[in-house]
Amino acid sequence: MVVTICIGSSCHLKGSRDVIAILQRLVLLHGLSDQVELTGSFCMGECEKGVCVKVNDELFSVTPATAESFFNEHILGRI
């Protein structure tokens, strides 16, 4: 599974660095490094929605406060 986190300026200001750190920690905690590939991307064109995160081809808006529930639902829930 490929999870792409926007690191463009708007998403950076909205906490993309924190979202990345949380998702990295959760991937390691659950031993999913061989199943989940975290990648970065510049602007995904949805700047007003917060930190854009794409799982395969589906786009989500994630904040540092919702990153763990996002992980549980959309990453763990698909494995």
Side-chain angles (χ1 to χ4, degrees):
M1 169 185 303
V2 177
V3 179
T4 306
I5 303 105
C6 180
I7 56 172
S9 57
S10 179
C11 287
H12 175 74
L13 292 172
K14 293 177 182 175
S16 64
R17 178 176 278 180
D18 293 331
V19 170
I20 292 167
I22 292 165
L23 294 179
Q24 285 175 328
R25 178 180 56 82
L26 292 168
V27 166
L28 290 174
L29 181 69
H30 290 276
L32 299 174
S33 296
D34 60 334
Q35 296 178 58
V36 178
E37 178 185 355
L38 297 177
T39 64
S41 173
F42 287 103
C43 189
M44 296 180 179
E46 299 288 335
C47 302
E48 69 281 352
K49 294 184 179 179
V51 179
C52 294
V53 178
K54 190 183 289 187
V55 177
N56 296 326
D57 287 323
E58 192 174 352
L59 196 62
F60 299 91
S61 177
V62 180
T63 66
T66 64
E68 190 163 350
S69 62
F70 166 81
F71 177 85
N72 291 332
E73 182 177 348
H74 297 288
I75 296 175
L76 277 182
R78 296 175 187 218
I79 291 181

